[in-house]
Amino acid sequence: MGSSQQPGSFGDPQQISSDNVNGLCLAISSSLFIGSSFIIKKKGLQKAAASGLRAGSGGYSYLMEPLWWAGMITMIVGEIANFAAYAFAPAVLVTPLGALSIIISAALAHMILGEKLHIFGMVGCVLCVVGSTTIVLHAPQERQIESVKELWDLATEPAFLLYATLVIVAVVIIIVQYAPKYGQTHIIAYVGVCSLVGSIGVMSVQALGIALKLTFSGTNQLLYPQTWVFAVVVVTCVFTQMNYLNKALDTFNTALVSPIYYVTFTSLTIVASVIMFKDWNGQTATQIITELCGFVTILSGTFLLHKTKDLVEVSSPSAFMRYPKYDEGGGSSEEGIPLKNRESMR
């Protein structure tokens, strides 16, 4: 009587291998490093802004700030740990733990940066985590790739080429037309560039991971030109993401940037993976609908987080929200925008 455990099921403690434990530890440590890196980099950006042109205004003085580099190194360590986690544990175990970086970042931003998160922002953050986790947990198994050439064939199929083209066009439009006008007031401009570019970058990172894995196992993939093309794409995407993530962090509060970036990046990466690997071909309607429900939950959380930029914590039981104060000269103060970086308003 009763259902039996399938071999390798997470419900059977005896089936949890040491590799899965190693992957779990690496994934948790990755979230700790990445969540902390947002705060360290933000502090570095603030120090750099005091002596030079802010990143949000196109400046690069943060490159001379040691604290910013400490944050960058912390993020790199976190990304390396995350990359290594996938070598030990399945994606269904590792990917959802990336949401921990949102909680860590928001908590540290409150304690170290003094940034406030409205109660609705907290609810939005929870919705983002729940929605993203739902998608990941119900996502199909990752396709097994045997060589870089096989991945190159998938990347050059018409469907993914169309997606990549749309991403490039969208990024160019945002950078050239949208960001200069609305980047200081609309967080989606900077975060959108990071997420769109990142979805293409992840596909190339997977290719490099396969190349290294096969090379270490005795089959040298570095001899193939496709490997180096993917490497160039990765470098280009990383530098683009770094530039516009700095702009976002310098303009908006970390408690807002971190979850929205996580949501958009995760969603677009899943879309890119579905197109490239045709993951939905082997799934049932129930699985696909569940994933779509998770995506709607993410959108709801993102909307709620975005709207809380105009709210502040209530200061009295009779006040539900406070609106911007106006001075005698007719100008508005900064009090009514809690999730907008105060330094960016000067």
Side-chain angles (χ1 to χ4, degrees):
M1 303 294 292
S3 60
S4 60
Q5 291 286 351
Q6 295 294 328
S9 170
F10 287 104
D12 186 354
Q14 296 181 349
Q15 298 296 331
I16 300 179
S17 65
S18 59
D19 281 348
N20 280 354
V21 173
N22 291 334
L24 178 64
C25 294
L26 285 168
I28 293 176
S29 64
S30 171
S31 294
L32 288 171
F33 280 113
I34 293 176
S36 302
S37 71
F38 278 99
I39 309 303
I40 300 174
K41 289 175 66 176
K42 183 66 175 283
K43 293 291 288 184
L45 289 170
Q46 290 176 343
K47 290 187 64 177
S51 58
L53 187 62
R54 293 173 44 252
S57 301
Y60 296 93
S61 58
Y62 60 85
L63 294 176
M64 303 300 293
E65 177 56 51
L67 191 59
W68 181 87
W69 281 108
M72 192 64 192
I73 293 173
T74 303
M75 176 173 282
I76 292 174
V77 171
E79 293 295 348
I80 292 175
N82 188 57
F83 180 81
Y86 284 99
F88 291 96
V92 71
L93 177 63
V94 176
T95 309
L97 295 177
L100 292 176
S101 63
I102 297 177
I103 301 172
I104 294 170
S105 179
L108 292 178
H110 175 75
M111 294 185 293
I112 298 177
L113 301 179
E115 298 180 357
K116 304 299 181 181
L117 185 62
H118 192 273
I119 184 64
F120 288 160
M122 297 179 186
V123 174
C125 188
V126 171
L127 287 175
C128 292
V129 173
V130 171
S132 298
T133 303
T134 300
I135 289 181
V136 173
L137 290 179
H138 292 84
Q141 292 296 322
E142 187 174 342
R143 181 171 179 171
Q144 296 296 322
I145 304 296
E146 302 297 333
S147 69
V148 173
K149 294 182 68 175
E150 181 181 348
L151 188 57
W152 180 261
D153 291 338
L154 293 173
T156 52
E157 289 187 356
F160 188 75
L161 285 178
L162 176 61
Y163 173 79
T165 300
L166 292 175
V167 166
I168 293 173
V169 171
V171 168
V172 171
I173 291 175
I174 294 174
I175 292 177
V176 175
Q177 295 186 353
Y178 191 81
K181 295 181 180 179
Y182 306 106
Q184 297 293 314
T185 56
H186 293 70
I187 190 173
I188 197 63
Y190 296 146
V191 173
V193 172
C194 293
S195 302
L196 287 166
V197 171
S199 67
I200 300 296
V202 168
M203 302 298 105
S204 297
V205 167
Q206 289 181 342
L208 289 179
I210 292 171
L212 292 175
K213 181 179 179 180
L214 294 176
T215 298
F216 292 148
S217 64
T219 306
N220 191 355
Q221 299 293 307
L222 301 180
L223 300 177
Y224 295 103
Q226 292 92 335
T227 301
W228 298 104
V229 173
F230 284 125
V232 171
V233 174
V234 169
V235 172
T236 302
C237 291
V238 167
F239 277 102
T240 302
Q241 286 180 277
M242 180 184 70
N243 183 29
Y244 282 90
L245 182 58
N246 284 332
K247 291 177 182 292
L249 286 172
D250 194 41
T251 306
F252 302 93
N253 278 7
T254 308
L256 184 64
V257 174
S258 180
I260 291 181
Y261 173 62
Y262 168 79
V263 168
T264 54
F265 172 74
T266 301
S267 300
L268 288 171
T269 298
I270 290 176
V271 170
S273 181
V274 167
I275 295 175
M276 186 168 178
F277 296 105
K278 303 176 178 64
D279 294 325
W280 280 355
N281 286 358
Q283 286 198 299
T284 64
T286 301
Q287 291 173 312
I288 295 175
I289 291 174
T290 302
E291 292 170 23
L292 292 177
C293 289
F295 184 69
V296 172
T297 305
I298 290 175
L299 292 180
S300 301
T302 304
F303 175 79
L304 201 55
L305 278 167
H306 186 66
K307 296 303 291 184
T308 56
K309 72 177 184 179
D310 296 323
L311 302 176
V312 295
E313 294 293 343
V314 294
S315 58
S316 65
S318 60
F320 177 75
M321 71 176 68
R322 290 185 300 184
Y323 296 92
K325 289 184 177 179
Y326 291 87
D327 56 31
E328 295 180 355
S332 61
S333 71
E334 304 167 12
E335 183 180 358
I337 311 180
L339 293 183
K340 175 81 172 176
N341 185 12
R342 294 178 183 275
E343 292 295 329
S344 67
M345 303 180 64
R346 296 174 180 174

